[in-house]
Amino acid sequence: MQLPPDDRTLSPYTGCTRAHWEAAADTLLAAVEPYATDDRALYHLPGDRQSWSGRLSDGLEGYARTLLLAAFRRDETALERYADGLAAGAAGAWPRITHRSQPLVEAASIALALRLTRPLLWDRLDDAVRHRAADWLADALTAEPWPCNWELFPVTVGGFLASVGYEPEASREAVDRGLHRIEKWYLGDGWYTDGDGRKFDYYNGWAMHLYPVLHAWLADDQRLLDLYGGRLSRHLEDYARLFGGDGAPLHQGRSLTYRFATTAPLWLGALTGRTPLSPGETRRLASGALRYFLDRGAVDDRGLLTLGWHGPNPAVLQNYSGPASPYWAAKGFLGLLLPADHEVWTAPEEPAPVERGDAAHPIGPPNWLLQSTTSDGVVRLHNHGSEDVRYDPYYTRLAYSTVTEPSASYDNSVLVDDDPSRTSIEPLGVGDGWAASRHMTSSGARVTNVVLVRGAAEVRAHLVAGVPAGTPVRVTGWAGAGAELHPVLGLDDGLAGKTGAGHTLFVALARLTGEPAPAPLSETAAVTAADPHLLAVRWADGREVRVRVEDGQVAVSGGD
C-alpha cells in the first residue's frame, strides 16, 4: 500500500493525516474491483476458506462491506459500479433475507451506505431499480435476528426505508422493536453486553453504539441522539484506554479480523459531537490503529485485507468468517464523513491515555481492570466479568493485552486437576488497582480470583474450594516475551501446588513488560499471609494493601 509521506508536524505520534486514510481506502477499493462478478452484484474474493453461509452469501458480503467503504469515501466512480451491482442483486442475484441469515447483516451495510450517499447513489437510480432494491431490503424488517447486536440490523434497514418513504409504518416498527430489545443489554456507564449473559468486547463500539447513534444522527432525532450519544460519550471515556502506545487494540473478544473497525466509535463521537476526547486525541488513537495494522501485514501484496490479525491468522476467525469478512474494517473509515477542514483532521495529534501516565483503571459493568504503563506502551486487561464460552479462549482468560494473544497452552489460567475451564464467571468487584471474580470449572471446583496491580507488576491470588485435599493446581501467566511469573504462596517453582482440606489459597507475582531492564519481579511487592484468607501486600513504593479472600467474597482495603 502506497501511502503519502508522514507529516510529523501535524501528526507527531503516527505521521498520518486525512490523506493517509484516503489512500488506504482507495487502495482497498481498487483491489477488490477485479473480483466482482460481471454484473457487479457479488464480490468473490480469493481464498480457499468459505463461511458457513456458503459462497453466494460470501459474495454478497463482499459487495455490501466494500460498498460501505465506498460510501464513507464518497467515491462517485466506485459508487457507479455499486449502483450496477445493486440493480442486478435486487433483481435476483442476491440470496433472500431470511430469519437469522447472513444476508440480514449485509442488508444493514447496504442500507446504511444508501442512506449516507442518497444524493450520489439512491436518487440517481431508476424507479424500477429503487423499487426492487427496497423490496429486497424490506425482508429485513420482519426477519428474526439472533438475540445480540443483530437486533440492530433491522433498525438500520428500517431507518433507511423510512427515510425514502417505503413502508413507513413497518419500517418504524422495525426501528422501535430493535431499539427496545437492546435496552435490556445496556448495563450502564456506556457498556452493553452483546446479548444475554456477560459478553463484553468490541461489538460495544462497532455495533451496539454505532448503529443507534448513526440512526439518530441521520434521522435528526435529538431525543434519541441525546440518549445514545450520551452513552457513546461515556463509553469513550473507557474505550480510549483500550489502545496501546503502538496503536494496537486489545487482543480480546471475537471477530478480531475486523481490525481497525475498532476505531469506528472514536470517529462516531467526533462526527456527532458526542465525545469526551479532543480532536487531536481522537485522530491519534484512530490513526495509530490504522498504522499498526498496515505496518504489520494486514493488507497483502494485492491490496486485499487478509483473514487474520496482523497477516493471515486462523486463530482469530469464527465459522461465520468468509473471504470478505475482514471488510467490516470499512467502519474504521467513518471519519472520512468529516470534512477535510474539520478540527479532527486539522488539530495536532495529542497523546493517548497510555502515553499520559501509568494507570490502573477500573471499568464497572464488565468488571475489568485496565493496567497500562507509559514506559512500554502496554495495556493489559484483567478480565473478571466477561465470558462467552462459545468463543473461548478470547473471553475466558484472566487477562489480555495489546502485545499478546491467547495461547493454546492456557495462558492466564488456573488449572484445577488439569481442568482449565472458566465458566459462570461471577464479578466480585473492581476498584482502585484491583479486580476480583469467582468462576467454576467443568469438574465443579470453585475458584475465587483477585488481582492487584502497581505499575507493571501484579499480585494474583486464587482461592480454590469444592475439591478434595490433594487436588493438583497449576497457575499460568502471560505468554510470550517480557512475561514473568513468580510463586509466592502454595506454589512450587513450577507454579504448581496441591489443595489442602477446605479452602486453599495460591498466590503468584506476575508481570508483562516491554522495559529492557526491569527490577527483579520478586522485588516489586512483598506478600504475606496473616491467615489462609488474609493477604498483606506491600508494593516497592511503600503502598500497602490488605485483601481478605473468601469463597465468593473479596474485600480490599488500604492504599496511598
Side-chain angles (χ1 to χ4, degrees):
M1 182 175 290
Q2 297 297 314
L3 297 176
D6 286 359
D7 184 339
R8 292 291 170 176
T9 300
L10 183 63
S11 302
Y13 293 91
T14 71
C16 290
T17 64
R18 182 186 174 92
H20 291 77
W21 283 88
E22 292 173 340
D26 292 342
T27 298
L28 293 173
L29 284 171
V32 300
E33 185 181 355
Y35 302 100
T37 52
D38 290 343
D39 61 9
R40 295 178 173 172
L42 304 168
Y43 282 67
H44 291 301
L45 301 186
D48 296 331
R49 184 183 177 90
Q50 199 175 92
S51 80
W52 61 10
S53 296
R55 177 175 168 80
L56 182 59
S57 178
D58 289 351
L60 170 61
E61 185 174 69
Y63 172 90
R65 299 189 180 196
T66 57
L67 166 61
L68 191 59
L69 176 58
F72 291 145
R73 181 67 176 100
R74 297 188 179 276
D75 183 332
E76 294 194 48
T77 301
L79 289 173
E80 288 179 6
R81 299 195 300 269
Y82 286 96
D84 293 340
L86 183 71
W94 291 339
R96 293 288 302 275
I97 301 166
T98 57
H99 297 319
R100 297 182 173 182
S101 66
Q102 187 65 30
L104 176 58
V105 184
E106 309 318 322
S109 290
I110 294 171
L112 179 56
L114 292 173
R115 196 173 184 186
L116 288 168
T117 62
R118 182 174 171 180
L120 302 177
L121 178 51
W122 182 260
D123 290 348
R124 297 179 182 179
L125 297 173
D126 292 340
D127 286 345
V129 174
R130 286 201 295 260
H131 185 77
R132 286 194 298 269
D135 283 346
W136 183 83
L137 287 168
D139 284 341
L141 302 178
T142 54
E144 189 64 27
W146 290 105
C148 59
N149 68 87
W150 279 47
E151 297 284 5
L152 293 168
F153 302 143
V155 170
T156 304
V157 174
F160 167 66
L161 291 178
S163 73
V164 296
Y166 184 91
E167 295 191 14
E169 183 175 350
S171 296
R172 286 193 295 269
E173 287 177 357
V175 171
D176 293 343
R177 181 173 62 249
L179 294 181
H180 173 74
R181 287 181 176 181
I182 69 168
E183 277 305 295
K184 60 181 175 292
W185 300 323
Y186 182 68
L187 301 185
D189 291 344
W191 286 90
Y192 294 85
T193 176
D194 187 20
D196 292 338
R198 298 186 57 82
K199 306 175 185 73
F200 299 99
D201 65 6
Y202 287 112
Y203 276 88
N204 264 279
W206 64 39
M208 304 303 287
H209 285 290
L210 181 72
Y211 293 111
V213 174
L214 274 181
H215 168 71
W217 180 69
L218 290 166
D220 196 23
D221 188 323
Q222 194 61 44
R223 182 188 67 83
L224 286 182
L225 190 55
D226 287 344
L227 173 64
Y228 296 118
R231 291 177 180 180
L232 170 65
S233 183
R234 175 61 186 88
H235 181 64
L236 290 173
E237 293 178 25
D238 294 331
Y239 192 79
R241 298 175 178 273
L242 301 185
F243 295 86
D246 59 0
L250 273 163
H251 203 89
Q252 179 268 343
R254 63 187 177 97
S255 301
L256 291 177
T257 195
Y258 302 157
R259 296 181 174 103
F260 37 82
T262 52
T263 68
L266 302 169
W267 295 122
L268 183 63
L271 180 68
T272 60
R274 264 56 179 193
T275 180
L277 310 178
S278 70
E281 184 181 359
T282 296
R283 194 176 78 255
R284 186 268 175 272
L285 290 167
S287 292
L290 177 70
R291 198 76 191 238
Y292 174 81
F293 288 112
L294 295 185
D295 288 350
R296 289 167 175 80
V299 177
D300 68 15
D301 291 342
R302 297 165 294 186
L304 299 174
L305 284 169
T306 59
L307 276 159
W309 178 248
H310 294 156
N313 182 358
V316 302
L317 306 181
Q318 279 75 47
N319 289 335
Y320 54 75
S321 302
S325 291
Y327 285 84
W328 241 29
K331 294 180 177 184
F333 292 87
L334 182 68
L336 292 178
L337 294 179
L338 292 160
D341 61 355
H342 190 281
E343 59 184 347
V344 81
W345 293 118
T346 61
E349 285 183 343
E350 297 178 17
V354 70
E355 293 160 326
R356 298 199 296 262
D358 292 359
H361 180 74
I363 302 180
N367 210 65
W368 285 350
L369 180 66
L370 292 179
Q371 175 192 17
S372 60
T373 43
T374 57
S375 60
D376 53 13
V378 176
V379 177
R380 311 149 191 86
L381 183 159
H382 296 281
N383 172 33
H384 288 265
S386 179
E387 68 173 322
D388 183 346
V389 294
R390 297 173 302 170
Y391 299 112
D392 177 74
Y394 290 90
Y395 279 84
T396 56
R397 302 295 165 84
L398 284 161
Y400 300 90
S401 84
T402 55
V403 295
T404 60
E405 61 181 289
S407 70
S409 58
Y410 292 97
D411 63 295
N412 290 316
S413 297
V414 181
L415 292 82
V416 182
D417 202 12
D418 285 332
D419 180 358
S421 60
R422 186 178 183 222
T423 63
S424 303
I425 298 175
E426 176 187 355
L428 299 179
V430 61
D432 179 19
W434 68 274
S437 63
R438 180 172 66 173
H439 72 268
M440 303 288 291
T441 68
S442 58
S443 56
R446 302 187 304 276
V447 185
T448 301
N449 309 281
V450 60
V451 61
L452 300 100
V453 306
R454 193 73 166 168
E458 312 163 27
V459 174
R460 299 184 180 188
H462 313 286
L463 184 73
V464 179
V467 294
T471 300
V473 173
R474 181 166 58 91
V475 302
T476 62
W478 298 100
E484 301 171 83
L485 194 64
H486 180 78
V488 173
L489 182 65
L491 301 166
D492 60 24
D493 289 343
L495 283 303
K498 292 185 177 181
T499 59
H503 302 163
T504 308
L505 189 63
F506 302 90
V507 182
L509 282 171
R511 182 167 60 187
L512 174 68
T513 181
E515 291 188 29
L521 178 59
S522 60
E523 297 178 6
T524 60
V527 183
T528 55
D531 63 49
H533 296 278
L534 183 62
L535 291 178
V537 177
R538 183 180 179 87
W539 297 105
D541 61 5
R543 182 182 184 184
E544 296 185 1
V545 183
R546 292 171 295 282
V547 186
R548 176 161 287 279
V549 187
E550 305 284 354
D551 183 6
Q553 293 184 333
V554 170
V556 179
S557 61
D560 292 319

